[in-house]
Amino acid sequence: MYNMNLKYKNKTIELALENNIINNKWTFLDPSKKYVVITDTYVASIYHDLLKNIPNGIAVLSIKPGEKSKTLNIYEKIIRNLIDINFQKDDILIAFGGGVVCDLTGFIAKTFLNGVNYIKIPTTFASQIDSAISCNSYLHLSEKNILGVNYHPSKIIIDPNILSTLSEDEFNIGIMQLIKLAILKNNTLFKFLSENKITIDSPELIEIIKTAIEIKYTIIQKDEQENNYAKILKLGESKYKILTKVSNNKLKEAEMLAISLYYELSEAQKEKTKKILELYNLDRKLFDWDIDFNKLEIKYNIQNDNFIVNINKIGSATISFLKQ
């Protein structure tokens, strides 16, 4: 087992990474506590038998999968459910799902009863190396991720075996997060990805996840609120927003992430990155969508960021803030 303490200014979080740590025994849970699981209906259908065996489990509350569940209406529904089942201050929430579930649960944990403990158990590749390590949780209102809180879980439990249920596209979304982290901060990882195709069955997967977590943690530790230095993690985000508006569902999520990242790089960096994208067939639509992003920013009224992520070389990124 790989154990790590994520040390922040006001809290230290226990992180455990191990194959098959999620099983019917739930040994990482305190048997003296009561638990409520927040998940989505898809994950709940797969892990129904597992979740019903949680010791002192009060309830499993399920939302619909997808970003549309990160709303105040769903938030209120979950809060009312917690009131109905008499959830107490000392009880613990478990976020069992992907990034949406982790965000929603974190927001609820921060605001319900002036703050309750929660545990993150991410079930997608992207959430295991990305959103699970973030201290921020967001809900949508008129705009995406407009409501946010900064609130740490008490534990993060990561089991690579859970990824066996992912589709190819879902796994590739995580691959794109992995490539981005490597470009930002780890040239050794980038070189490894250039020479090896990572799959759910790869013997190196647990070590890859460990390395990605360490990259994300070192970034977040310097900027927990993600208001300054940690904005390097937004590399490609503005172009991604444009693609979601113009692709007309012709692009998969991983393809949009690939294109958005690719067109943020220098020509030399593009060539190196394309070599990795080819391993996952994520290079096929790169040039079909070589569009004028600047014109489309104006057309769709997408606000320019007040910062620029500079990829000085693979594995070395800095951020520059623009004068207002």
Side-chain angles (χ1 to χ4, degrees), residues 11-233:
K11 188 167 185 176
T12 297
I13 304 168
E14 300 174 39
L15 184 146
L17 167 61
E18 184 181 12
N19 284 316
N20 205 35
I21 191 174
I22 308 297
N23 53 53
N24 287 326
K25 296 180 180 180
W26 293 95
T27 53
F28 54 85
L29 296 180
D30 182 345
S32 69
K33 299 292 185 179
K34 295 181 180 179
Y35 299 91
V36 169
V37 176
I38 298 177
T39 186
D40 67 46
T41 53
Y42 175 72
V43 174
S45 67
I46 297 173
Y47 295 103
H48 174 267
D49 292 341
L50 182 69
L51 294 176
K52 74 178 183 181
N53 285 327
I54 291 178
N56 297 323
I58 303 172
V60 175
L61 305 178
S62 300
I63 61 174
K64 291 182 179 180
E67 291 286 332
K68 291 183 179 180
S69 286
K70 284 174 51 174
T71 65
L72 284 176
N73 287 338
I74 300 299
Y75 165 81
E76 182 181 359
K77 180 181 177 182
I78 297 293
I79 293 292
R80 292 190 180 279
N81 283 333
L82 294 176
I83 293 170
D84 289 343
I85 61 180
N86 197 30
F87 187 93
Q88 299 295 305
K89 179 77 172 179
D90 290 336
D91 298 335
I92 298 175
L93 295 174
I94 296 176
F96 192 84
V100 170
V101 167
C102 288
D103 263 16
L104 180 64
T105 307
F107 202 99
I108 291 167
K110 169 69 174 180
T111 54
F112 187 58
L113 299 177
N114 200 31
V116 299
N117 284 327
Y118 78 111
I119 297 170
K120 284 183 178 180
I121 306 180
T123 60
T124 65
F125 191 16
S127 62
Q128 287 188 350
I129 64 175
D130 184 41
S131 58
I133 315 304
S134 176
C135 307
N136 288 340
S137 298
Y138 296 99
L139 296 184
H140 305 325
L141 197 58
S142 56
E143 296 180 30
K144 184 177 179 180
N145 291 339
I146 198 70
L147 302 174
V149 297
N150 183 268
Y151 194 58
H152 297 279
S154 56
K155 291 182 181 179
I156 302 171
I157 307 297
I158 296 179
D159 185 347
N161 281 353
I162 282 185
L163 305 182
S164 62
T165 61
L166 297 183
S167 68
E168 181 182 39
D169 187 51
E170 287 173 324
F171 187 77
N172 283 347
I173 292 170
I175 289 293
M176 286 312 308
Q177 294 297 336
L178 185 64
I179 295 170
K180 181 169 74 172
L181 289 172
I183 288 173
L184 292 173
K185 287 294 170 185
N186 196 309
N187 186 44
T188 301
L189 175 60
F190 186 88
K191 288 181 178 178
F192 181 84
L193 295 175
S194 300
E195 299 167 359
N196 301 273
K197 181 179 180 180
I198 305 303
T199 69
I200 291 169
D201 299 318
S202 293
E204 306 92 351
L205 183 59
I206 197 164
E207 187 65 29
I208 290 288
I209 292 173
K210 172 179 174 289
T211 301
I213 288 170
E214 290 170 343
I215 296 169
K216 179 71 183 281
Y217 167 58
T218 57
I219 295 171
I220 296 297
Q221 189 186 39
K222 293 179 181 179
D223 177 21
E224 288 181 54
Q225 302 290 336
E226 300 181 37
N227 290 328
N228 298 293
Y229 174 72
K231 285 187 180 292
I232 63 173
L233 293 164

Side-chain angles (χ1 to χ4, degrees), residues 265-316:
L265 305 175
S266 69
E267 291 305 315
Q269 293 163 1
K270 283 178 181 177
E271 283 303 307
K272 293 179 180 179
T273 303
K274 184 173 178 288
K275 183 178 178 181
I276 303 177
L277 297 178
E278 287 172 350
L279 295 175
Y280 304 93
N281 293 319
L282 291 172
D283 63 310
R284 294 177 299 173
K285 297 188 178 180
L286 286 180
F287 307 110
D288 295 343
W289 293 86
D290 181 10
I291 54 182
D292 191 330
F293 286 102
N294 291 329
K295 284 185 178 179
L296 290 171
E297 277 183 0
I298 297 171
K299 178 178 179 180
Y300 291 102
N301 194 30
I302 294 175
Q303 299 297 315
N304 289 322
D305 293 324
N306 66 340
F307 62 90
I308 296 173
V309 180
N310 308 297
I311 307 300
N312 307 309
K313 60 181 180 179
I314 298 295
S316 176

